[in-house]
Amino acid sequence: MSQEGNETRAFVVTEFFIMGFPGLLPKYYSLTAALLFCIYIAVITGNSLIVVLFVIERSLHKPMYIIMLSLSVSDICFCTVALPKVISRYWFNDGYISFYVCLFQRQLIHYFGALNCLIMMLMALDRYLAICHPLRYPVLMTNRMLGLLLGFSWVTAMIPPTITLTQTLKLPFCGPNIIAQCFCDSTSINQLACADASNANFIAFCLIMFVLLVPFAFIIFSYACILVSVLQIANAKGRLKAFSTCATQLTIISIFFVPRFVVFSSNNLPSNNEKIALVMFYSLLPPLMNPFIYFMRIREIRQVFFKFCTQRIMINLKG
């Protein structure tokens, strides 16, 4: 076939249809949409509250809380990119999305996934320096230094999805346009190509593993060092405080990484619905749970929150 013919075929598909969960009965559409909408509202509310508390309370302007702020902003952006379209698909039967908007959504989905990996690596670095090098911590981990590291993370996280996007744009799309997923992602889009997408899928898989494994390896190393340092603390109260601080971040890191490794390492899931459900689980659980973990385990955030609520109540009473 001529090159002109290939170029013509590449632009036959002008829109995709977000299927969501294949086989879901129409009678459950409204319930599914309502559930996803409630999750979205909970994510936006919880993480926005973290942002508000950080803005109004200067005592939270510390490296650890700046990292949490960055993670909350990233989670808000991710859910805003991922959820509205699938909610619209089930509430209004509006699952169509234009070709390039789908690619844009796919780009942002993978971008915020890579960004969260880097933020969690910085989270581990912060605790490593605070516990293993406490005397040097105020010098090494300043707000300025952390700002540079976060800025670097926000920029470099765009590199892996951009590489995979260039591979996807080389593929012709001339036939099927139904995406068996709740949002546009690299794997779902490449499966619809009218040509062999094995090379694009291999590059995407390698980049995903790199983005996951490098931060995860650093996290494992840093927390191993932290464990050794904590066990050397003679004071039992000091050990408990160090463990408590690390437990919060380790919980957040675990609910982000563990489900992803389970999905990526499992090829025996019996149905596509289960795969999609697991992808939605590991995508939405961390943004949903992180604010609750902050409030339950970090006393300073609770104190700022209660102080903020008390001030609001007093203002309303005086008014």
Side-chain angles (χ1 to χ4, degrees), residues 288-301:
L288 182 64
M289 293 301 298
N290 287 348
F292 293 103
I293 295 172
Y294 298 151
F295 282 108
M296 287 188 297
R297 298 201 57 88
I298 301 179
R299 184 177 62 180
E300 192 167 1
I301 287 183

Side-chain angles (χ1 to χ4, degrees), residues 184-196:
C184 298
D185 68 338
S186 183
T187 302
S188 300
I189 294 175
N190 290 351
Q191 287 176 348
L192 302 179
C194 297
D196 183 14

